[in-house]
Amino acid sequence: MREIVLDTETTGFDPESGDRIVEIGAVELIGHMATGETYHQYINPERAMPQEAFEVHGLGDDFLRDKPKFAQIGQAFLDFIGTSKLIIHNAKFDIKFLNAELKWMGLPQIPWSQAVDTLEIARTKFPGSPASLDALCRRFNIDNTSRTLHGALLDSEILAEVYLELIGGRQPDFALSSQPQTGSQTTTTHWTPKPRPNPLPSRLTEKENAAHAEFVSKLGGDAMWSKF
């Protein structure tokens, strides 16, 4: 099962009033385990950065000026996520912005059903308790000391750990799999038992077989043992 843990940074709160995405970070999980594959992109928002947003993520106009516009990376982003479930903290916010950007490009929208909202999971699991990413890190004793500013890729990596705790820890389904390695490539296959080429010999002695046959003969013709 492939899942993508995703986060965005923006210029504000509302794409319909002119706010844009300035950073996307995503981490790939397969079988609830990080594969090491990530997607990370800074984006030129084609507008000035409000001071309030700059204080959140530290991405300013000078830094973003030479970065690609969303129209240049939108298809590559869709190709990366595919139809995988998107694990997002406060998914309504990120999906709203992503779909606005995709709509302006004429690209397919991300279905709301594709998103899994960890904020909703946390509020359901811990009603009345703080459910921010920082609060969940404290609850699960996850180190987030490097999170001095919001950053899409760092937040995605932290959220991946939080998500695994919310659903019961790493590999909650306890699936057995083997991961043969060839060079630098790793593939995941599910182990299945194969029949033995030669059956194991019986561990019963001839004396034990004879005693069992004598016992069954005394039970009559309808004895269950006589049918095997």
Side-chain angles (χ1 to χ4, degrees), residues 91-141:
K92 292 179 181 178
F93 179 88
D94 299 82
I95 296 296
K96 174 179 66 176
F97 267 92
L98 289 167
N99 277 342
E101 297 277 7
L102 294 169
K103 179 181 68 175
W104 296 331
M105 285 186 64
L107 290 175
Q109 305 282 281
I110 299 171
W112 289 98
S113 59
Q114 191 172 342
V116 174
D117 193 344
T118 52
L119 179 61
E120 292 185 2
I121 295 174
R123 285 174 172 170
T124 300
K125 195 166 185 177
F126 309 113
S129 298
S132 69
L133 190 56
D134 285 336
L136 292 171
C137 285
R138 290 192 294 271
R139 175 181 287 275
F140 295 126
N141 198 28

Side-chain angles (χ1 to χ4, degrees), residues 187-224:
T187 57
T188 301
T189 56
H190 290 286
W191 179 84
T192 54
K194 297 180 180 180
R196 291 180 178 273
N198 298 306
L200 292 174
S202 174
R203 298 179 66 180
L204 294 176
T205 65
E206 292 185 7
K207 183 176 180 181
E208 289 169 332
N209 274 324
H212 178 69
E214 182 181 358
F215 170 76
V216 171
S217 67
K218 297 177 181 179
L219 298 178
D222 294 330
M224 179 183 69

Side-chain angles (χ1 to χ4, degrees), residues 57-74:
H57 49 58
L59 302 176
D61 297 334
D62 291 342
F63 177 77
L64 295 170
R65 187 170 290 115
D66 63 347
K67 302 302 185 286
K69 301 172 184 178
F70 192 94
Q72 297 172 272
I73 60 92

Side-chain angles (χ1 to χ4, degrees), residues 10-12 19 47-57 59 61:
T10 69
T11 64
D19 286 316
R47 57 153 293 171
M49 180 66 67
Q51 182 63 28
E52 296 84 355
F54 176 76
E55 291 174 357
V56 171
H57 49 58
L59 302 176
D61 297 334

